[in-house]
Amino acid sequence: MKSFGSFFKECRLRNGEGLREFCVQHGYDPGNISKLERGLLPPPDARAKLEQYAADLRLKEASPEWYEFFDLAAAGAGTMPAYMTSEEEVVARLPLLFRTIRNNGLDGKHMDALIEKIRSS
């Protein structure tokens, strides 16, 4: 599974930017971005900061990569993505999903199959 930090780094490198170059260009501390990419710092919880990072990484709003970026940030912070909390029907069904997963003791292979089934729905 991909982490927020590894995805952040993947996006930065895909844009052809080294760590220091990226930080100088956007006014970030290289030490903090390095820690973020290595998972030593958690993703920020401030939506504005995440949006700034996404823009600096050239992620197009509402693209699959943009959603993945915000999903990984939420997962890394142990929260639900902001766009999901407004989806009352989805949120209301999450306890059932969690209970089903817990009661069935899904291993990695079965969890991947469930995720694929959800994606194809």
Side-chain angles (χ1 to χ4, degrees), residues 74-91:
T79 61
M80 294 295 294
Y83 66 86
M84 270 203 152
T85 57
S86 65
E87 301 288 334
E88 291 179 22
E89 187 176 330
V90 172
V91 173

Side-chain angles (χ1 to χ4, degrees), residues 3-114:
S3 70
F4 175 80
S6 65
F7 188 69
F8 190 107
K9 183 176 183 177
E10 178 184 309
C11 293
R12 177 179 57 76
L13 292 174
R14 186 175 47 229
N15 293 332
E17 295 177 304
L19 177 64
R20 293 202 184 281
E21 176 187 1
F22 175 81
C23 291
V24 167
Q25 184 174 356
H26 301 289
Y28 299 125
D29 177 83
N32 286 339
I33 296 298
S34 174
K35 288 176 186 173
L36 183 68
E37 290 181 347
R38 292 181 290 137
L40 300 176
L41 284 178
D45 55 6
R47 177 76 178 191
K49 187 62 166 179
L50 287 169
E51 287 175 350
Q52 184 61 54
Y53 281 155
D56 294 340
L57 292 167
R58 299 182 217 154
L59 299 176
K60 183 179 176 190
E61 189 170 346
S63 68
E65 293 81 18
W66 188 85
Y67 281 116
E68 185 172 6
F69 181 80
F70 284 90
D71 290 349
L72 289 169
T79 61
M80 294 295 294
Y83 66 86
M84 270 203 152
T85 57
S86 65
E87 301 288 334
E88 291 179 22
E89 187 176 330
V90 172
V91 173
R93 290 182 175 169
L94 286 175
L96 175 60
L97 175 64
F98 299 149
R99 203 169 37 252
T100 301
I101 291 169
R102 183 179 59 251
N103 290 341
N104 289 322
L106 299 180
D107 60 15
K109 177 182 172 186
H110 289 96
M111 185 68 81
D112 290 343
L114 175 61

